[in-house]
C-alpha cells in the first residue's frame, strides 16, 4: 500500500472549510505543455561557453606571446561583436541575446585570426562587420550562411591587406625563440612561413621544412594570435571532442586532405598541416554549427572540399593563405550539400523494396 | 563478453537519448488501487472507431459487463469496472484533451460479476479464430500506450507469415515501472499470454525483450521461461527502445517498411501488460477492466504501482496515494517523454494510462518550451531513431509549408520526443511536428479529393462525348 500522508492538500482544504472545487479552479491551473516534459540540460550558452573554454589555452598563450597589443586586438574584436549584436537586436525590437555567448565567441574567433599588432580600431571594425554583415543581415543566429568571424576577417583582409599580411611580432617571447632557424626566417617580413614560399625556392622549403616544426608546434612567431601553437589548438580540439561539441570528421578530413594533396604536390606534409591558419581553421572555424552540413557524410564532403580549395589556393594563387577563403566558399555550398546528402528515414528502403517487389509481381502477372 | 554484447547492442541502435531513469517506484510492489464510488468509462479508449453505448441511464450494470461496442473492425468494446447504476451518458473530459462520450456509473461496492464470465478451456489448443474473438470481446488493446486493438494485430493476412512474437518489456519511459513490476511479480502470466498470442498467429518463436537497465526483471523472466522456443533478449538502455519499430529493428535486425506494420517483416509486438491481460482473460474470463498505473513525481505524496480500475478519476488515484504535495504544476498521464499533460485532474484512467505523474509548480518538468530557433547543431538529426530531420520538420511546420513535409516523411515521426529532448535551444519540435502532421494530412486529403473530383469530371465529359 502507498504511504498515506495526512497533510495532503485535499485534507487541508477540507479542514479549512474551503469549497474544494472553487479552490481547485483557482489555485491549480495546470501547465499543459506538449511532450517531452523533460529536456536535456544543454543550452546554447553552455555550448558556446565550452567552445570559449576550448579556446582559452591558445588565447592565453597568444596574448603572452604577443603582449598588450594582442590583448587589445582580442578585446576590441569581442567588444565590437557583442556591442553590434546588442544594438542591432535592440533596433529590431528583438530580445537581446548576448547572454547566449555566441557573439562573444564570434568576436574571440575573429580576434584570434588577426595578427597581434594592429591599430585598435581595426579589430573593432572587424567585430562590427562580423556580426552585422556576417550574422544579423541573414536574420541572426542559425540563419547565416557564412561563418561570421571569417566574414569579419575577410573584409579586413581585403580592405587592409597590407596590415593583415605583413604584421609580425617584433619582440616575440617564445621559449624556443633562441633557435637559429627562427632567426633566419624571421628576417623575412611575412605573416606566415607559408607566405615565404614565394621568396624561398620550393625544393628548399621541402627540404628545410622540418626546421619549422618546433616553432609551429609550440611557439610560432609569424602567424596570427590564435596560430601561435599547434599543440594548444589540438588541446582545444580535444576539449571540443570530449564534450561532443564538434564532429571529428571535419578537422580530420580537412587536414587530411591538405596533407595528402600537399604531399602529392611536393610540399612537406607535416609542414603543410602545421603552417598557417589550417589547424585553427579546421578545428574552430570549419566546425561552426551553423555553417556546415548537418549529416555525417555532408560534413565529410564539406571538409574534403575545404581541403582541396585550401591547397589549390596555397599552391596556385598569390594569396598567402587559403584557409579563410576555402571555408567561406564551402560555407556557400553547405545548403546545397544539405539538400542532396540526407539521411534515409527508417523503413523507407524497406518500403521501396516492397513496392518494387509488388510491381514486379504485377508485371509478372500481366505477362 | 559483457562489453562486447553492449557494443553489439549499441551498434544495432540508431539515435535515441538517455533521459534520467527516475524509476522511483521500482521497489514498490503492485497493489490494488482505490475502490471508486463512481467511474467514468469513456467509449473511446483505443485507436479506431469509438463505441456505441449498450446501456442507458438508470440501467444496472455488473462488473465486467460490456457497456459499449462498435461494428467497426478496428475498435474494441469497453466494459464496466464496477457493479452499480448508470447515472449518465454524456461528454466528459478525456485524457486526450477533448470531451468524449462517457458512461458514468455509480458503484454499489459489491463488484457483482456479470454472468457468463468464466475461464476458457485450454486456450493453447484453441482455434486461432476463437482466440481472436475472445480477445476482441475482452476489450484487449495494446497497453504499452498505443492502445491499438489487439485482435487486429492477431489477424495477420495469410501472405504475412508471422515468425516471432516479440514481448515488449522495454519500459523506456522514465518514471514508469508498471511493466517492470509485472515482470518481477507475474512472469508466468506474461508467458502464458504470449503463448496464447503465439497460438493465434501461428508463430514459432517468442522473444521477450527487456532493457539491460532492469537486471532483476531479466533474471525473473529467465527463471519463468520454460524452454520451448521462448527467448529473453536484452536491449540496450536507450530511449526509445520500447517503440515498436525500433524494437523490431534491434531484436530482428529488420526495418518495418515506412507506412507498414511489424507483421510486414514477420513480427508482432505486444507489451508485457497486454500479455498479462490476455492471460487473465483466458484464466478468469474477466475482460480488461483494470490496468497497472505507476504513480510518481515530486507533486504527489506517495509513489506506487497500482492496479487501478479503468474509469477511476485521476484525482481519486492521487488522493489514494496520499494526495498532492505542494502546488501541482503539471499532471502527466503516461511518461514524461510522450505522456499528455492534463488541464484537469478529473479525467478518468483509461486503457492507455500507464502512469500518473504529478510535478510541483516550478519543477523542471513545468518549463515552457520556447519558440522555434535552431543553431543547426545537428543533434536532433543524429538522435532521431527514425532517421528523420527534425529541425526541418520543425521549421517547415512553423512556417506552415505543408507541401515540404512529404519528402521529409513527417508521418513516420513517432513523436518520441528524442529530438526536442536533446535540442539545446529547447525547440518545441514535437509540438511543431504535431501541428505539421495535421496541416500536411489535411492538405493531402484535400488534394486527393480534388484529384478524384477532377478525374470524375474528366470521365463524365468523356462519357458525355461518347453518348453525343
Ligand atoms: S522527429 Fe519524431 S521520431 Fe524523430 S526524434 Fe523527433 S519525435 Fe522522435
Ligand atoms: S537539436 Fe535543435 S538546435 Fe540542434 S539542429 Fe536540431 S533543432 Fe536545431
Amino acid at each position: 500500500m502507498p504511504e498515506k500522508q495526512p497533510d495532503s492538500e485535499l485534507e487541508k482544504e477540507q479542514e479549512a472549510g474551503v469549497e474544494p472545487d472553487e479552490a481547485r479552479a483557482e489555485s491549480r491551473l495546470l501547465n499543459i505543455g506538449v511532450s517531452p516534459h523533460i529536456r536535456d540540460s544543454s543550452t546554447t550558452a553552455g555550448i558556446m561557453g565550452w567552445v570559449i573554454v576550448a579556446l582559452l589555452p591558445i588565447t592565453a598563450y597568444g596574448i603572452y606571446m604577443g603582449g598588450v597589443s594582442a590583448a587589445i586586438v582580442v578585446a576590441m574584436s569581442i567588444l565590437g561583436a557583442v556591442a553590434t549584436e546588442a544594438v542591432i537586436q535592440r533596433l529590431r525590437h528583438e530580445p537581446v541575446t548576448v547572454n547566449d555567448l555566441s557573439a562573444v565567441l564570434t568576436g574571440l574567433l575573429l580576434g584570434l585570426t588577426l595578427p597581434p599588432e594592429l591599430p585598435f580600431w581595426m579589430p573593432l571594425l572587424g567585430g562590427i562587420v562580423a556580426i552585422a554583415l556576417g550574422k544579423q543581415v541573414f536574420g541572426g543566429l542559425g540563419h547565416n550562411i557564412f561563418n561570421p568571424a571569417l566574414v569579419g576577417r575577410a573584409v579586413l583582409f581585403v580592405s587592409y591587406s597590407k596590415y593583415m599580411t605583413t604584421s609580425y611580432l617584433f619582440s616575440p617571447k617564445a621559449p624556443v625563440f633562441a633557435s637559429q632557424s627562427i632567426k633566419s626566417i624571421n628576417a623575412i617580413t611575412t605573416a606566415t612561413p607559408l607566405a615565404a614560399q614565394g621568396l624561398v625556392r620550393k625544393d628548399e622549403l621541402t627540404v628545410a621544412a622540418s626546421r619549422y616544426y618546433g616553432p609551429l608546434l609550440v611557439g610560432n612567431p609569424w602567424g596570427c594570435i590564435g596560430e601561435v601553437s599547434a599543440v594548444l589548438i589540438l588541446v582545444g580540439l580535444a576539449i571540443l571532442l570530449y564534450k561532443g561539441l564538434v564532429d571529428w570528421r571535419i578537422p580530420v578530413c580537412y587536414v587530411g586532405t591538405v596533407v595528402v594533396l600537399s604531399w602529392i604536390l611536393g610540399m612537406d606534409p607535416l609542414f603543410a598541416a602545421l603552417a598557417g591558419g589550417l589547424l585553427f581553421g579546421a578545428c574552430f572555424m570549419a566546425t561552426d554549427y551553423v555553417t556546415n552540413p548537418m549529416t555525417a557524410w555532408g560534413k565529410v564532403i564539406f571538409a574534403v572540399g575545404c581541403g582541396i580549395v585550401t591547397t589549390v589556393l596555397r599552391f596556385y594563387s598569390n594569396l598567402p593563405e587559403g584557409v579563410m577563403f576555402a571555408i567561406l566558399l564551402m560555407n556557400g555550398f553547405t545548403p546545397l550539400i544539405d539538400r542532396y546528402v540526407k539521411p534515409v528515414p527508417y523503413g523507407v528502403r524497406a518500403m521501396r523494396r516492397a513496392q518494387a517487389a509488388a510491381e514486379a509481381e504485377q508485371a509478372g502477372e500481366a505477362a | 563478453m559483457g562489453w562486447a554484447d553492449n557494443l553489439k547492442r549499441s551498434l544495432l541502435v540508431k539515435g535515441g537519448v538517455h533521459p534520467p531513469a527516475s524509476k522511483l517506484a521500482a521497489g514498490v510492489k503492485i497493489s490494488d488501487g482505490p475502490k471508486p464510488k463512481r467511474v467514468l468509462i469513456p467509449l473511446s479508449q483505443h485507436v479506431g472507431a469509438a463505441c456505441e453505448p449498450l446501456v442507458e441511464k438508470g440501467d444496472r450494470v455488473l462488473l465486467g459487463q460490456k457497456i459499449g461496442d462498435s461494428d467497426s473492425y478496428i475498435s474494441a468494446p469497453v466494459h464496466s469496472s464496477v457493479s452499480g447504476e448508470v447515472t449518465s451518458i454524456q461528454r466528459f473530459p478525456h485524457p486526450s484533451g477533448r470531451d468524449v462520450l462517457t458512461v458514468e456509473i455509480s458503484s454499489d461496492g459489491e463488484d457483482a460479476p456479470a454472468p457468463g464470465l468464466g475461464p476458457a478451456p485450454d486456450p493453447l489448443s484453441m482455434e486461432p479464430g476463437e482466440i481472436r474473438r475472445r480477445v476482441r470481446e475482452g476489450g484487449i488493446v495494446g497497453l504499452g500506450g498505443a492502445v491499438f486493438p489487439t485482435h487486429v494485430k492477431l489477424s495477420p493476412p495469410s501472405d504475412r507469415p508471422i515468425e516471432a512474437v516479440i514481448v515488449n518489456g522495454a519500459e523506456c519511459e522514465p518514471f514508469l515501472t508498471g511493466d517492470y513490476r509485472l515482470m518481477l511479480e507475474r512472469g508466468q502470466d506474461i508467458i502464458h499470454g504470449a503463448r496464447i498470442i503465439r497460438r493465434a498467429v501461428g508463430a514459432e518463436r517468442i522473444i521477450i525483450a527487456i532493457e539491460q537497465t532492469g537486471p532483476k526483471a531479466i533474471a525473473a523472466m529467465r527463471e519463468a521461461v520454460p524452454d520451448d522456443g521462448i527467448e529473453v533478449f536484452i536491449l540496450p538502455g536507450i530511449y526509445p527502445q520500447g517503440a515498436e519499430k525500433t524494437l523490431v529493428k534491434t531484436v530482428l535486425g529488420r526495418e518495418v517498411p515506412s507506412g507498414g506494420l511489424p507483421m510486414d517483416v514477420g513480427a508482432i509486438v505486444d507489451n508485457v501488460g497486454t500479455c498479462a491481460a490476455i492471460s487473465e482473460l483466458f484464466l478468469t474470463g474477466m475482460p480488461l477492466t483494470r490496468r497497472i498505473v505507476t504513480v510518481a513525481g515530486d507533486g504527489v505524496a506517495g509513489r506506487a504501482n497500482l492496479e487501478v480500475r479503468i474509469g477511476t478519476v485521476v484525482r481519486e488515484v492521487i488522493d489514494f496515494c496520499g494526495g498532492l504535495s505542494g502546488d501541482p504544476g503539471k499532471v502527466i498521464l503516461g511518461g514524461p517523454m510522450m505522456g499528455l499533460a492534463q488541464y484537469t485532474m478529473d479525467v478518468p484512467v483509461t486503457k492507455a494510462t500507464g502512469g500518473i505523474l504529478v510535478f510541483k509548480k516550478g519543477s523542471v518538468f513545468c518549463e515552457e518550451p520556447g519558440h522555434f530557433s535552431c543553431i543547426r547543431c545537428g543533434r536532433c538529426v543524429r538522435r532521431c531513431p527514425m532517421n528523420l530531420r527534425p529541425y526541418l520538420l520543425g521549421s517547415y511546420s512553423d512556417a506552415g509549408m505543408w507541401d515540404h513535409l512529404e519528402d521529409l516523411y513527417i508521418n513516420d515521426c513517432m513523436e518520441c520526443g528524442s529530438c526536442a529532448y536533446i535540442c539545446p535551444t529547447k525547440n518545441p519540435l514535437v509540438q511543431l511536428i504535431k501541428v505539421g502532421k495535421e496541416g500536411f494530412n489535411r492538405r493531402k486529403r484535400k488534394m486527393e479529393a480534388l484529384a478524384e473530383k477532377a478525374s470524375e469530371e474528366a470521365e463524365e465529359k468523356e462519357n458525355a462525348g461518347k453518348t453525343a
Side-chain angles (χ1 to χ4, degrees):
Chain A
M1 281 296 291
E3 297 157 32
K4 278 270 182 192
Q5 194 172 309
D7 60 349
S8 83
E9 267 211 12
L10 191 83
E11 279 164 55
K12 259 194 270 174
E13 270 169 15
Q14 281 165 352
E15 273 166 33
V18 188
E19 196 61 42
D21 274 350
E22 254 182 54
R24 274 172 187 145
E26 279 169 19
S27 74
R28 296 191 189 158
L29 277 180
L30 296 172
N31 178 318
I32 50 165
V34 174
S35 62
H37 307 286
I38 26 171
R39 281 155 183 273
D40 183 63
S41 58
S42 68
T43 58
T44 308
I47 292 174
M48 301 296 169
W50 272 105
V51 181
I52 292 171
V53 167
L55 284 167
L56 283 183
I58 189 81
T59 311
Y61 189 53
I63 289 174
Y64 165 75
M65 289 271 287
V68 181
S69 62
I72 290 175
V73 167
V74 172
M76 282 295 145
S77 83
I78 294 178
L79 180 70
V82 173
T84 311
E85 175 115 321
V87 167
I88 292 183
Q89 286 180 331
R90 184 65 55 77
L91 289 178
R92 282 195 176 162
H93 303 291
E94 280 174 5
V96 175
T97 57
V98 291
N99 282 345
D100 71 12
L101 298 182
S102 81
V104 177
L105 178 59
T106 301
L108 179 59
L109 282 171
L110 171 67
L112 293 179
T113 55
L114 297 178
E117 283 167 15
L118 284 182
F120 79 94
W121 54 267
M122 220 181 261
L124 190 68
L125 179 69
I128 294 171
V129 169
I131 295 294
L133 283 185
K135 182 172 163 191
Q136 290 295 344
V137 160
F138 295 96
L141 183 62
H143 300 285
N144 47 308
I145 295 176
F146 302 102
N147 186 322
L150 287 183
V151 170
R153 185 177 194 267
V155 168
L156 293 184
F157 183 86
V158 173
S159 318
Y160 309 103
S161 56
K162 212 175 109 223
Y163 285 95
M164 297 292 289
T165 51
T166 59
S167 291
Y168 58 95
L169 288 177
F170 293 104
S171 52
K173 306 182 195 67
V176 281
F177 231 74
S179 84
Q180 194 62 32
S181 60
I182 297 170
K183 274 189 192 138
S184 65
I185 195 80
N186 206 18
I188 307 166
T189 53
T190 51
T192 68
L194 267 177
Q197 227 186 308
L199 301 169
V200 185
R201 277 211 328 279
K202 208 177 189 180
D203 48 334
E204 194 179 314
L205 193 61
T206 314
V207 175
S210 58
R211 298 190 293 168
Y212 305 119
Y213 289 171
L216 286 172
L217 279 169
V218 292
N220 167 15
W222 313 280
C224 304
I225 302 169
E227 293 162 10
V228 286
S229 162
V231 170
L232 290 182
I233 293 175
L234 292 178
V235 167
L237 178 66
I239 294 176
L240 293 183
L241 289 175
Y242 175 72
K243 295 297 290 181
L245 295 177
V246 300
D247 196 308
W248 58 269
R249 292 174 183 87
I250 292 179
V252 169
C253 296
Y254 190 171
V255 176
T257 306
V258 172
V259 163
V260 170
L261 288 180
S262 304
W263 183 64
I264 293 172
L265 291 169
M267 190 194 269
D268 182 89
L270 189 57
F271 175 78
L274 296 178
L278 176 61
L279 268 189
F280 189 83
C283 296
F284 292 106
M285 292 292 190
T287 52
D288 167 41
Y289 283 152
V290 180
T291 53
N292 78 60
M294 288 292 234
T295 56
W297 281 109
K299 286 177 200 292
V300 170
I301 294 172
F302 172 85
V304 171
C306 284
I308 294 173
V309 178
T310 301
T311 318
V312 167
L313 290 180
R314 274 183 176 180
F315 278 81
Y316 303 109
S317 78
N318 42 22
L319 293 170
E321 173 61 308
V323 173
M324 173 177 76
F325 288 113
I327 296 177
L328 284 173
L329 185 73
M330 290 312 289
N331 284 164
F333 278 106
T334 293
L336 199 69
I337 296 175
D338 266 340
R339 173 172 303 182
Y340 290 105
V341 182
K342 52 192 178 191
V344 182
Y346 175 109
V348 165
R349 281 197 195 94
M351 179 184 73
R352 294 204 183 117
R353 264 202 307 275
Q355 278 170 356
E359 269 164 32
E361 208 170 280
Q362 263 182 6
E365 268 170 28
Chain B
M1 197 206 124
W3 67 267
D5 271 2
N6 286 351
L7 185 70
K8 205 176 91 193
R9 273 198 289 278
S10 50
L11 287 179
L12 280 172
V13 177
K14 155 76 177 67
V17 292
H18 293 273
S22 317
K23 304 271 188 188
L24 303 174
V28 188
K29 278 213 169 102
I30 298 172
S31 57
D32 280 337
K35 241 186 141 190
K37 292 206 182 64
R38 157 182 177 259
V39 289
L40 295 173
I41 300 184
L43 288 165
S44 172
Q45 304 186 33
H46 46 260
V47 173
C51 295
E52 298 292 328
L54 301 176
V55 288
E56 274 172 28
K57 186 178 169 184
D59 281 1
R60 178 172 161 74
V61 292
L62 298 167
L63 174 64
Q65 179 181 334
K66 188 157 87 171
I67 56 173
D69 204 346
S70 157
D71 293 335
S72 296
Y73 177 56
I74 301 190
S75 183
V78 294
H79 302 79
S80 174
S81 56
V82 293
S83 65
E85 190 188 325
V86 176
T87 45
S88 77
I89 300 177
Q90 58 180 21
R91 290 184 179 274
F92 275 100
H94 183 272
S96 66
R98 288 163 307 175
D99 287 354
V100 165
L101 198 61
T102 300
V103 180
E104 184 188 26
I105 301 168
S106 82
S107 164
D108 57 15
E110 283 168 18
D111 283 348
L117 301 180
D122 200 11
L124 292 179
S125 49
M126 202 180 258
E127 276 301 306
E130 177 62 13
I131 295 180
R132 273 177 227 137
R133 194 190 64 77
R134 281 178 188 255
V135 165
R136 184 187 182 284
E137 283 305 299
I140 308 273
V141 298
L143 295 182
V147 285
F148 190 76
T150 301
H151 67 95
V152 181
K153 266 194 192 173
L154 296 189
S155 317
S158 53
D159 62 338
R160 296 272 187 281
I162 300 298
E163 176 200 323
V165 175
I166 302 176
V167 178
N168 186 353
E171 201 167 37
C172 52
E173 276 268 13
F175 286 94
L176 302 191
T177 47
D179 290 352
Y180 175 76
R181 291 308 310 182
L182 206 57
M183 288 189 279
L184 288 191
E185 297 173 32
R186 302 186 192 165
Q188 289 300 345
D189 289 353
I190 296 170
I191 289 170
H192 185 237
R195 288 166 130 181
I196 297 174
I197 295 170
R198 176 170 68 176
R199 167 92 195 153
V201 298
E204 290 275 305
R205 300 161 71 193
I206 293 176
I207 304 169
I208 303 170
I210 309 173
E211 282 201 348
Q212 80 193 52
T213 46
K216 274 196 198 157
I218 296 169
M221 289 311 289
R222 281 216 168 117
E223 208 164 283
V225 164
D227 24 40
D228 62 336
I230 303 183
E231 309 145 46
V232 174
F233 186 98
I234 301 167
L235 298 166
I238 298 174
Y239 177 89
Q241 272 307 294
E244 226 172 46
K245 289 185 169 180
T246 36
L247 191 65
V248 169
K249 183 159 184 204
T250 316
V251 174
L252 297 178
R254 302 174 199 160
E255 282 193 2
V256 179
S258 165
L261 292 168
M263 66 168 75
D264 294 335
V265 291
I268 97 158
V269 180
D270 272 303
N271 172 269
V272 287
T274 316
C275 293
I278 290 177
S279 161
E280 191 181 334
L281 172 71
F282 282 83
L283 287 178
T284 67
M286 185 51 76
L288 185 61
T289 52
R290 31 175 79 206
R291 69 153 299 149
I292 294 172
V293 179
T294 301
V295 184
D298 63 4
V300 52
R303 55 186 68 156
N305 297 297
L306 297 176
E307 201 162 0
V308 179
R309 289 164 200 254
I310 285 159
T312 312
V313 173
V314 164
R315 187 188 304 281
E316 212 171 322
V317 182
I318 294 173
D319 288 341
F320 183 77
C321 291
L324 297 166
S325 92
D327 232 2
K330 212 174 212 181
V331 175
I332 301 166
L333 294 192
M337 292 299 284
M338 291 184 75
L340 291 168
Q342 302 297 315
Y343 69 91
T344 164
M345 283 179 256
D346 290 318
V347 291
V349 167
T350 68
K351 294 175 184 176
T353 312
I356 299 176
L357 306 179
V358 189
F359 296 104
K360 277 190 187 141
K361 267 212 171 76
S363 83
V364 286
F365 297 89
C366 301
E367 271 169 20
E368 297 276 356
H371 54 93
F372 183 81
S373 77
C374 173
I375 57 169
R376 289 177 49 90
C377 69
R379 292 177 186 205
C380 55
V381 180
R382 277 201 300 278
R383 302 306 187 95
C384 174
M386 300 307 287
N387 228 356
L388 303 171
R389 285 175 290 169
Y391 75 106
L392 279 183
L393 289 172
S395 81
Y396 287 145
S397 298
D398 194 34
M401 294 156 78
W402 314 131
D403 46 337
H404 284 61
L405 296 170
E406 171 118 55
D407 292 341
L408 297 172
Y409 294 91
I410 187 164
N411 283 333
D412 281 319
C413 165
M414 54 188 180
E415 295 171 21
C416 70
S418 301
C419 50
Y421 174 82
I422 205 72
C423 175
T425 68
K426 315 293 167 207
N427 261 337
L429 288 169
V430 174
Q431 185 172 347
L432 291 169
I433 290 172
K434 284 185 184 189
V435 173
K437 275 187 185 171
E438 277 278 331
F440 168 70
N441 291 324
R442 208 181 319 120
R443 180 176 180 278
K444 197 170 162 188
R445 279 195 298 273
K446 211 160 127 196
M447 301 297 274
E448 277 166 7
L450 281 178
E452 212 167 279
K453 211 170 141 199
S455 74
E456 265 171 28
E457 269 168 23
E459 222 166 81
E460 256 170 43
K461 253 190 205 157
E462 212 170 89
N463 289 345
K466 267 181 203 158
T467 47

